Amino acid sequence: DMGSNNAALVIEIPEAPQYVSLVGEIAVRSAADYEGQAESLKVIKAFQSRVVEFFRGHKARAHAAHAALCAEETKALKPAQEHEARIKRALVAYTTEQDRIRRIEEQKLRAEQQRLDEERRLNEAAALELEAAATGDVVMREQAEQILAAPALVLPVVVATPAAPKVVGLSFRETYKAEVTDLRALVQAVASGAQPITLLVPNQTALDGMARALKEALAIPGVRLLKDRVAASR
C-alpha cells in the first residue's frame, strides 16, 4: 500500500526542467525571468501541497497511535507514581521532624551552657570583689569588672538524634528556586547596576506584536525595528 502511494507520489512530481534552476543560483535579470520564476514558484507550491496531503493521513494515524500508547503508559504508571510520591513525602517528613527535634535540643543545651557560664562568671567576680574589699587590692577589683564585662562563652553544641537507617539508593538533597515577588524592584536593581542584566529577559513575543502593530511608529528605548520583505505565493 505504501509502495503504491509512493509510486503515485513520484508520478505527480513535475518534470525535471522545472526544477533544474533549483540546483544552482537563481538569477532574475529581466521581466521575463521574473514572470518565469514566479510561475515556477506556483508549481513548487502545488508540489509541496501534494506532499503535505500525501503524508497527512499517515501522520494522523501515527499521532493517534502515539497518543494511545502514551495514554496507556500514563495509566499503567499512575498508581506506582502516586505511591512513590506518598513514600517520599513520608520520608522527608520524618527527616524534617528529626531536624526540628535536634534544633530544639541544641537550643536548650546552648541556653544551659550560657546559664552555667553566667553563673560561673558571677561567682568568680563576686569572689574577687570580696577579696578586693578585704585586702584593698585594686587589681582584683579590676579583674572582677573585666570578668563581668567579658562576652558570654558560647560553645558549639551537637545533639545526636536518632539516625534514619541507611538505605542503598536512597538520598536526600536540597533544591532551591527563586520567586520574583516585586518585578519593579528587580528591574530597578538591574537598572542601577546592583544586579546583572542577565536576570531579565526581553518579552520577544510582546515586542514583535508591537512591531507588527506600530510598524515604523515603534519607538521603545533600547529597541530597534527590523523589517524584512518576503515573497508569498498561492
Side-chain angles (χ1 to χ4, degrees), residues 3-212:
S4 62
N5 285 336
N6 287 332
L9 177 63
V10 173
I11 293 173
E12 292 181 4
I13 295 177
E15 294 297 328
Q18 295 178 330
Y19 287 88
V20 170
S21 60
L22 292 178
V23 178
E25 180 183 1
I26 296 178
V28 177
R29 299 186 178 86
S30 65
D33 290 342
Y34 184 92
E35 292 180 354
Q37 294 299 339
E39 290 300 322
S40 297
L41 187 61
K42 294 179 183 180
V43 176
I44 293 170
K45 293 294 292 184
F47 167 73
Q48 293 177 358
S49 297
R50 292 195 299 273
V51 171
V52 170
E53 187 60 31
F54 170 79
F55 284 101
R56 188 189 308 279
H58 298 297
K59 289 168 64 177
R61 288 188 292 273
H63 178 74
H66 180 266
L69 285 173
C70 289
E72 290 298 322
E73 179 186 36
T74 300
K75 182 180 178 180
L77 287 174
K78 187 176 181 180
Q81 290 173 338
E82 291 178 347
H83 196 185
E84 175 191 5
R86 291 197 299 270
I87 292 175
K88 287 182 175 179
R89 286 195 296 269
L91 294 175
V92 170
Y94 176 80
T95 57
T96 301
E97 178 64 13
Q98 295 305 305
D99 290 341
R100 187 187 70 84
I101 294 173
R102 187 188 68 252
R103 287 193 298 269
I104 293 175
E105 292 299 320
E106 288 177 353
Q107 291 173 357
K108 290 179 179 179
L109 290 178
R110 192 175 293 111
E112 180 64 15
Q113 280 187 353
Q114 292 174 351
R115 187 189 68 79
L116 293 175
D117 180 64
E118 182 67 16
E119 182 178 337
R120 177 190 58 80
R121 291 190 302 115
L122 289 175
N123 291 335
E124 290 180 3
L128 287 171
E129 287 181 347
L130 288 174
E131 187 69 20
T135 61
D137 191 332
V138 178
V139 175
M140 284 187 176
R141 188 179 301 278
E142 291 178 352
Q143 289 177 345
E145 293 175 355
Q146 290 174 1
I147 291 175
L148 293 175
L153 178 63
V154 179
L155 297 175
V157 176
V158 178
V159 177
T161 55
K166 297 294 183 181
V167 179
V168 177
L170 176 65
S171 62
F172 294 90
R173 67 178 187 275
E174 304 291 338
T175 60
Y176 301 89
K177 293 196 306 181
E179 179 185 8
V180 177
T181 58
D182 190 336
L183 181 59
R184 187 180 299 277
L186 175 60
V187 171
Q188 290 175 349
V190 172
S192 67
Q195 296 297 330
I197 196 170
T198 52
L199 297 181
L200 301 179
V201 178
N203 188 335
Q204 194 61 48
T205 301
L207 289 171
D208 290 342
M210 294 181 66
R212 289 190 297 269

